[in-house]
Amino acid sequence: MEKLKTVLDLNLKHYTALGYGLVTALTAGLERIFSTVVFQCPCNATWNLAYGLVFLLVPALALFLLGYVLSPRTWRVVTGCCAPGACTCCSGGGLRGVLVLAQLSGTAAVAPLTWVAVALLGGDFYECSASGTQVLARHLCSGRDPNCTAQLPLVPCGDKQDKDVLDLQKDLKAQSQVAGWILIAAVIIGLVIFVSITRCRSPVSFLQLKFWRIYLEQEQKIFKSQATEHATELAEENVKCFFESSHPKKYKTPSMKDWQQISSLYTFNPEELCYSMVHKFVNREEGTDKTEHSERGAVVPVLHFVDSFALNTTLEL
């Protein structure tokens, strides 16, 4: 479990090529296991399409939802939003909400797109589902033997020595692999365009972004250390008072409103360069409302990695 947690730390805490590479490798390996061990095409005109699509799309959907569940940003948005009067996490207008949802979806889509692409390159799932599609059957069987349409659903389980079966199987595998490479090319092109636009629109320089990430790592380490120390002292005092039937000493802890403030989504503000919500909170102006102050002059968030450094807490829940 410790090794698995380490892998998840690398994948979800750092939005880097290493993290994405590990996600891709793990997903590709999982797909190969499913296709060789679990998947068994029924070779039936009624079931082929449904069976193949289930193996192609349902695991991708599960991985997509899992990407949301494992994202700290998701829980920053969701936690407390249904409580009466707790709408601060949704503040900032519709554009901000759409952008946050798009960023979450883009990150969560890495594993499912990998699953679909690897599955298409392998060809097993597509071969099974396509062999049960009547529209595709008419296209594949055009100019072939009259019995081709009836034999097509049996191709995934047919005689590998039969020339007609091999020809149909090659056509199906070729279509699947072409679709897989088109998907990979589209994802890479889209990713390059997205990264280029976000870097071009970045309000801070390249080296400052490096410093920013280092700051966030150190802040989270210190925050966890201080929180552990404070919680331990508070727990020891409460347990001691319970057994001694005495009154506890006064411990100053942040209020619910303070916790809500540092738990909300980060929004870049050029008027007050703060590197996190904790940084923004402690540098608030005296006598001003913290929410209004943090949102004054705010820009729609483009530095979404700031909210991604709550991973350790998220994984332990």
Side-chain angles (χ1 to χ4, degrees):
M1 289 301 295
E2 280 300 317
K3 291 182 178 179
L4 176 61
K5 185 175 177 181
T6 302
V7 171
L8 289 172
D9 284 343
L10 287 172
N11 282 299
L12 300 173
K13 188 174 181 179
H14 305 288
Y15 295 107
T16 61
L18 174 61
Y20 285 131
L22 286 172
V23 169
T24 302
L26 289 172
T27 306
L30 185 63
E31 191 280 332
R32 285 291 85 197
I33 292 173
F34 264 72
S35 63
T36 56
V37 178
V38 180
F39 183 76
Q40 295 291 334
C41 186
C43 296
N44 182 290
T46 304
W47 279 101
N48 277 17
L49 177 61
Y51 189 82
L53 288 179
V54 163
F55 272 82
L56 181 65
L57 300 179
V58 172
L61 176 61
L63 289 169
F64 183 71
L65 296 177
L66 187 63
Y68 269 101
V69 170
L70 294 178
S71 172
R73 260 193 136 208
T74 302
W75 303 115
R76 279 184 180 268
V77 174
V78 173
T79 303
C81 278
C82 296
C87 297
T88 56
C89 57
C90 305
S91 61
L95 180 60
R96 180 179 181 184
V98 169
L99 183 57
V100 169
L101 180 62
Q103 291 167 344
L104 286 171
S105 300
T107 303
V110 174
L113 287 174
T114 301
W115 175 277
V116 174
V118 173
L120 289 174
L121 290 178
D124 294 335
F125 301 158
Y126 178 86
E127 180 183 323
C128 183
S129 59
S131 64
T133 309
Q134 293 300 319
V135 176
L136 192 58
R138 287 194 292 269
H139 171 72
L140 282 172
C141 293
S142 177
R144 294 179 185 266
D145 188 281
N147 295 325
C148 173
T149 304
Q151 294 176 347
L152 186 61
L154 304 176
V155 167
C157 307
D159 183 5
K160 305 304 180 183
Q161 304 302 319
D162 189 289
K163 184 177 184 303
D164 292 335
V165 170
L166 287 174
D167 288 343
L168 287 170
Q169 198 171 45
K170 286 178 181 178
D171 287 347
L172 290 172
K173 191 172 289 291
Q175 291 176 3
S176 179
Q177 290 177 340
V178 167
W181 282 116
I182 290 175
L183 176 61
I184 291 172
V187 170
I188 292 175
I189 292 171
L191 183 61
V192 170
I193 293 174
F194 173 76
V195 172
S196 299
I197 292 175
T198 54
R199 288 303 177 97
C200 182
R201 300 274 298 173
S202 175
V204 295
S205 66
F206 178 76
L207 289 178
Q208 189 174 8
L209 280 176
K210 282 184 169 291
F211 170 80
W212 202 321
R213 292 177 185 275
I214 294 170
Y215 168 82
L216 289 172
E217 290 178 358
Q218 296 305 314
E219 181 186 84
Q220 282 300 310
K221 289 179 182 177
I222 296 170
F223 184 90
K224 185 175 182 179
S225 174
Q226 291 288 323
T228 302
E229 181 181 345
H230 189 92
T232 301
E233 291 178 358
L234 183 59
E236 288 176 349
E237 180 66 19
N238 289 335
V239 172
K240 177 183 176 183
C241 291
F242 170 77
F243 282 105
E244 295 180 356
S245 298
S246 58
H247 292 287
K249 297 184 295 185
K250 288 286 185 179
Y251 273 88
K252 185 172 178 58
T253 57
S255 65
M256 289 185 63
K257 189 175 181 180
D258 294 342
W259 283 111
Q260 184 67 36
Q261 289 297 313
I262 68 167
S263 299
S264 59
L265 291 178
Y266 177 85
T267 304
F268 179 75
N269 189 333
E271 297 180 4
E272 46 172 24
L273 182 56
C274 295
Y275 294 118
S276 68
M277 292 306 297
V278 173
H279 189 187
K280 187 175 291 190
F281 179 85
V282 299
N283 284 279
R284 68 193 185 280
E285 296 176 3
E286 293 294 333
T288 61
D289 184 83
K290 299 161 192 171
T291 302
E292 290 181 0
H293 177 66
S294 63
E295 296 297 332
R296 191 189 310 150
V299 174
V300 173
V302 292
L303 300 166
H304 61 278
F305 70 89
V306 179
D307 298 318
S308 305
F309 280 82
L311 180 69
N312 292 336
T313 304
T314 302
L315 287 178
E316 291 167 3
L317 291 177

